[in-house]
Amino acid sequence: MDTPKPTLILSIDDDPDIRNLVERFLKGTGYQVLTADNVNRAFEILQTNKPDLILLDVSMPEMNGYDF
């Protein structure tokens, strides 16, 4: 019997404290988590990964979450 693959979440936030808090919480509850500190890094991650969910900060310097 195949074990289900854990849900993959991409968390995007320019604040390292929030990014780390979200990552620790989600990993602690069994999710697989990728993080990015800006939208450019997020786009790089999305070239090779297909997350089930993207959590992002709506107020970031280069591009806000709504534009993303």
Side-chain angles (χ1 to χ4, degrees):
M1 187 162 128
D2 292 333
T3 307
K5 187 174 88 173
T7 301
L8 178 61
I9 299 174
L10 172 58
S11 175
I12 310 163
D13 200 305
D14 59 325
D15 183 320
D17 293 330
I18 293 174
R19 197 171 55 249
N20 290 332
L21 177 69
V22 169
E23 179 180 19
R24 282 185 306 184
F25 177 79
L26 291 172
K27 281 186 175 180
T29 56
Y31 294 102
Q32 183 181 358
V33 182
L34 299 172
T35 63
D37 61 351
N38 60 59
V39 295
N40 292 326
R41 179 65 185 124
F43 285 130
E44 290 174 9
I45 290 170
L46 291 171
Q47 295 297 314
T48 56
N49 296 277
K50 294 196 181 233
D52 299 295
L53 176 69
I54 298 175
L55 299 175
L56 64 141
D57 184 356
V58 296
S59 177
M60 292 185 288
E62 297 167 4
M63 178 188 294
N64 68 43
Y66 297 113
D67 291 338
F68 180 82

